[in-house]
Amino acid sequence: MTQNARLACSCGKVHLAVEKEPIISTECYCTSCRTAGARLQALPSAQRVLDANGGTRFVLYRKDRIRFTQGTEHLREFRLKPAAGTRRVVATCCNTPVFLEFENGHWLSLYANLWPEGTLPSLDLRTMTGDLPDRAALSGDVPSGTMATLSFYARLLAAWIAMGFKSPKVTVVNGEIHA
């Protein structure tokens, strides 16, 4: 697992630091992540977001273990719909997706493309595979739940308990983008 990693967008203008262990490393196959991933990776100069099977790789961290150290003026939010309970945040300097945040959540789902090559925490599980048209294409190397798995929720709950049931606000985002 990762300890005290320094992460950055693809052009290096946005930097963040993560401390201690992540909550979990996962691939999400929900329709929302697949739709947003396709739209975000279509932005000019953007990196791939979706894997070959349409999943989005995330590493989830407690909000109190993430610090934005440089370039927050480039961060903009993207929502699939104006009233969506999730927002994806992009570094507009190079259109690198940075994180996904659930409304009132105590964690951020950091996009895997932030990790330097060879340093991404190993995959713990796949989630929401029931939204895929063909689940048979997924390898059996890690657990793959048709919905979010019990262990996924257990890890989120344990992190929230450790945070004293707090859900810090992320205030470093400066406006919106439309993809």
Side-chain angles (χ1 to χ4, degrees):
M1 292 288 185
T2 304
Q3 293 250 359
N4 302 328
R6 303 262 181 233
L7 309 174
C9 67
S10 64
C11 75
K13 290 183 180 177
V14 175
H15 290 251
L16 58 149
V18 295
E19 300 171 352
K20 302 184 180 179
E21 303 295 324
I23 298 169
I24 197 165
S25 181
T26 185
E27 287 176 346
C28 183
Y29 290 90
C30 76
T31 300
S32 176
C33 283
R34 289 185 296 121
T35 301
R39 289 173 63 181
L40 293 175
Q41 71 187 21
L43 291 170
S45 303
Q47 299 172 324
R48 282 200 63 74
V49 175
L50 302 175
D51 69 16
N53 294 313
T56 303
R57 182 76 186 274
F58 293 109
V59 181
L60 283 62
Y61 270 89
R62 293 171 31 174
K63 286 181 179 177
D64 63 347
R65 292 185 173 174
I66 300 170
R67 287 181 300 107
F68 290 87
T69 59
Q70 180 180 321
T72 58
E73 67 274 12
H74 300 290
L75 297 178
R76 304 288 184 276
E77 74 176 36
F78 165 70
R79 293 179 190 260
L80 285 174
K81 297 177 185 172
T86 56
R87 68 177 179 165
R88 289 151 177 94
V89 173
V90 175
T92 56
C93 45
C94 55
N95 287 324
T96 297
V98 178
F99 66 84
L100 177 145
E101 180 182 31
F102 285 87
E103 194 171 295
N104 299 317
H106 59 281
W107 75 96
L108 292 180
S109 300
L110 300 175
Y111 282 87
N113 56 2
L114 298 173
W115 270 259
E117 191 171 329
T119 65
L120 181 65
S122 60
L123 183 64
D124 293 313
L125 62 87
R126 293 181 181 89
T127 188
M128 301 301 293
T129 62
D131 285 1
L132 276 175
D134 181 17
R135 291 186 64 224
L138 298 174
S139 69
D141 57 341
V142 296
S144 297
T146 56
M147 304 213 33
T149 64
L150 183 58
S151 74
F152 179 82
Y153 284 123
R155 289 185 189 197
L156 287 178
L157 180 59
W160 197 29
I161 291 167
M163 292 175 67
F165 298 103
K166 294 178 182 149
S167 294
K169 299 290 181 206
V170 177
T171 59
V172 296
V173 180
N174 302 293
E176 303 174 355
I177 65 163
H178 302 281

